[in-house]
Structures are given as C-alpha cells and as structure tokens.
Amino acid sequence: MTRLRQIPLDLVAIALFALYPLIPGLGAQADALFKATVGAEFTTLFIIAVLALGLHVVVGYAGQLHLGVAAFFGLGAYVVGILLVPAYPFKLGSQLPAGTGVLVAVVVAFAVAALVSVVTSAPILRLRGDYLALVTLGFGEVARFALRNLEEITNGTKGLNPIPQPDVPGLKGDWSADYRYYYYLCLLALGLVLLLLRNVERSRLGRAWVALREDELAAVCMGLNTARLKLAAFALGAGIAGLAGALYALRLGNTADPDTYSFQRSITVLCCLILGGLGNRAGVLLGVVLVYGFDGIFAPAADRYIQQFKLNPSGSPFLTFSSYRLMVFGFALILIMRFRPEGLLPSSRVKAELHACDPPAPAAPAPTAPTH
C-alpha cells in the first residue's frame, strides 16, 4: 500500500492517456470520427499542459506572479516556423538528416525562449507581486504586437506556413490525417517535462525555489542568491513554454495568428494552475483538463448528445450547452476560490500556507476512566 502511494499521480495520468488510442471503437463511422476529434483535442491538451508546467515553474515553485508566458509560447512557435518553413533559407527539415531537423528546431526554440527570458527579466528582478505582474503583462503585449508588425520576418497576421511534418524514420504516414502521430509525440514531450520537473523539485535548486516562494527575505538571510534563483526560474519556465509553442506550431502546420499568443492565453493558463492547485504537478494537469478539456471536449460532447437525443429540434442557441459554458466556468471558479482557495490538488506546503490563520480544530475530549 505504501508503494502505491509513492507512485506520482501525473505519471499515472500519462500512462492512462497513452492507452486512449488503443481503445477499440464501437464500429460506426460517426463514433470513429468522434474518437479522432477527441484525440486531436487531447493532443492540444498535452501542449497546453506543457505550457502550464512552464508557468508552474515560475508561479508554483518560485512564487513569482508572471502574466506574460504566452509571449514565450509564441516565440517558440515562430522560431520553429523560421527554421523549418521553406520560404526561409534555413530549411532544417531538408538540410539535416531525417528525423533531426525538427528535433534541432525544437531545441533551438527552447534555448531562444530561455535566453530571451533571461535578458528581459534581468532588469526587473527587484520587482515583486503586482508590480512584477504588470511588467510581465506589458512584455507579453509588446511581444504580441512585435510578432504582428514585423511582417518581413513573421508574415504579420498570416503567420508562417507551411511547417513540414516531422520526418521520423519508420513513420511515413500522413501526420495530418492520423491524430495518433502528434498525440504520442506531444504525450512523450509532456512525460519528459514531468520527469524533468520531478527531479528539479527534489534537487537543491527546487528546495531553494520553495524557500524563495515562502519568504524571500528569510531566503536572503540564509545566504541564497535570490537574483540567480529568479533568473533560473524564469529561464526554465520560458524554455518549457517555448517547447510548448514549438509543438503547437508543428501540430497546426503553421504558427497561427499572433493574437493566439495574447494576454487571454496567459491568464487562462494561470487559471489552470489556480484551479488545479499550486505547487503540485498533478494539480496542474488536473487544472488543464478541467479548463481546456471542459471547453474543447466536454462542451462539444454535450452539444452532440443534445442533438443525438433531439433535445433541441429547432436548433436554438439557447438550448445548447456551449452557450452557457463560460457562465458555468466562471461560477465554478468563484466556488473554488471561496471554499478551496488552494485548488483541488495543491501541495502540502501551499495548503499549509493558505490555512495558517485558520482556527485550530477542537481537541478531542480526554477518555474518562471506567467506574466500577
């Protein structure tokens, strides 16, 4: 029983998701199409989970409120586009051996996002709380407008396309027609990021980030270099976000419109962390499933069953579940913040911090000696 409790919930979730494409369908063409649609949504879910884990490094581990993670998400996508799109001279997909061009582009996207994060974060290391949040929000908007206005490099609102599919030896199928290729690629990337963060969390750096999050002044008094700790958190978080952006561009076959990487993306990913639970990797995955899975999987499935059982024969928008999904999500978020502010699966440290001022539970009455 003790060994079962030691199995990480996030790795269990990865193993369960790996079984989804192996589940046999019911045989009908509509069911097979629905399964492929849900599988494609799961692929997007994995990419967003990688992005949320990047923000989790900064917010959940180091305790720094960052509202510009979407900028590094877009930066990773555009770096991959510049390196792989045939219109640019790099063309890593055709100039390098099979299977290495895309890998090199993804690694470069990770490195460029981390480097840009270090350069832009160095001048603001003294800021904390709301001031840091405002500066990172402004940086995210500057990055979005830069991607839109640098048309000679980013092709403006049209984005960069087409991004060729990965050329993996032994896999010669059409990646755009079969969702399973990108499904397992993004699931593998998510598993590697989870393993990386699991090891970092147990390392000296991870414990230093926890000390920084709990009390920065006490961390300084204990001899920790908080400037280096913050830079390390910003760099690793931005690099993981750049990795998510690279996977997103590969999945779409283009870099999408720059407005895809807006402040709304950053705040939605932050909601995933708050809803799932800060400081816990499994909580991040749960938050992503609840937020993005609710919007991309559950709401369309509910509308599908409403049509299947002919509950809305007139096609009225007032009788579709999608029309009320934002209201349901907002109401659920309010309830979570009121009754469980630490999230659904928080770490024990964060839960103890948020409930430090709660009155202690009444002591159990002492047992009385039996009378004879």
Side-chain angles (χ1 to χ4, degrees):
M1 189 67 178
T2 305
R3 292 184 177 180
L4 291 177
R5 292 180 179 177
Q6 292 176 352
I7 299 177
L9 293 178
D10 48 1
L11 299 183
V12 173
I14 294 296
L16 293 177
F17 276 120
L19 299 177
Y20 174 78
L22 305 178
I23 299 176
L26 298 180
Q29 183 178 1
D31 293 328
L33 180 60
F34 178 71
K35 179 181 178 182
T37 303
V38 173
E41 291 294 337
F42 273 140
T43 304
T44 305
L45 210 69
F46 301 153
I47 297 173
I48 299 299
V50 175
L51 174 62
L53 288 171
L55 183 62
H56 173 67
V57 172
V58 181
V59 179
Y61 287 163
Q64 308 299 307
L65 185 56
H66 198 295
L67 297 180
V69 70
F72 302 104
F73 185 53
L75 182 60
Y78 274 88
V79 168
V80 165
I82 291 173
L83 294 178
L84 295 179
V85 166
Y88 283 87
F90 302 101
K91 301 178 184 177
L92 294 184
S94 59
Q95 294 185 1
L96 293 178
T100 59
V102 171
L103 179 61
V104 171
V106 170
V107 172
V108 172
F110 180 96
V112 169
L115 180 61
V116 171
S117 176
V118 171
V119 172
T120 56
S121 301
I124 61 173
L125 292 178
R126 294 179 179 271
L127 298 180
R128 303 179 185 175
D130 300 338
Y131 300 99
L132 177 63
L134 289 175
V135 171
T136 54
L137 187 157
F139 169 74
E141 291 302 293
V142 168
R144 179 168 67 93
F145 281 101
L147 292 176
R148 176 187 295 178
N149 296 326
L150 295 176
E151 296 185 3
E152 295 81 4
I153 302 176
T154 63
N155 203 21
T157 56
K158 299 178 181 178
L160 300 177
N161 61 86
I163 297 177
Q165 71 179 28
D167 186 11
V168 180
L171 298 177
K172 300 299 182 182
D174 187 0
W175 288 53
S176 60
D178 192 344
Y179 76 94
R180 290 175 294 181
Y181 291 109
Y182 285 113
Y183 182 94
Y184 282 114
L185 175 64
C186 296
L187 184 62
L188 175 62
L190 176 59
L192 293 177
V193 171
L194 287 171
L195 287 176
L196 171 65
L197 295 187
R198 183 170 182 264
N199 292 330
V200 170
E201 184 178 342
R202 298 182 174 186
S203 67
R204 180 180 179 183
L205 177 62
R207 294 192 294 270
W209 279 341
V210 172
L212 175 65
R213 182 191 69 200
E214 293 183 352
D215 194 328
E216 183 174 350
L217 181 58
V220 172
C221 294
M222 293 300 294
L224 295 178
N225 191 329
T226 57
R228 290 185 179 180
L229 291 176
K230 291 181 181 179
L231 283 178
F234 288 138
L236 182 58
I240 295 175
L243 170 63
L247 295 173
Y248 187 71
L250 290 172
R251 172 68 180 84
L252 292 180
N254 58 78
T255 58
D257 183 83
D259 289 338
T260 306
Y261 316 106
S262 63
F263 169 69
Q264 182 179 358
R265 175 80 66 181
S266 298
I267 202 67
T268 307
V269 174
L270 182 62
C271 287
C272 296
L273 268 65
I274 296 174
L275 182 63
L278 290 174
N280 189 6
R281 301 182 308 277
V284 174
L285 298 183
L286 177 62
V288 171
V289 170
L290 292 178
V291 174
Y292 280 89
F294 173 78
D295 190 38
I297 299 177
F298 179 78
D303 290 337
R304 178 173 179 263
Y305 285 111
I306 288 176
Q307 295 178 358
Q308 182 177 351
F309 291 103
K310 298 180 180 181
L311 301 178
N312 185 17
S314 61
S316 173
F318 296 103
L319 296 178
T320 60
F321 183 81
S322 298
S323 301
Y324 303 96
R325 69 184 191 280
L326 293 180
M327 182 180 68
V328 173
F329 171 70
F331 186 67
L333 198 60
I334 292 174
L335 292 179
I336 289 294
M337 291 297 95
R338 171 62 182 85
F339 296 104
R340 197 173 177 85
E342 68 273 14
L344 297 176
L345 286 178
S347 67
S348 57
R349 288 178 178 270
V350 173
K351 186 176 181 179
E353 292 172 10
L354 292 177
H355 292 277
C357 298
D358 292 351
T368 57
T371 58
H372 298 284

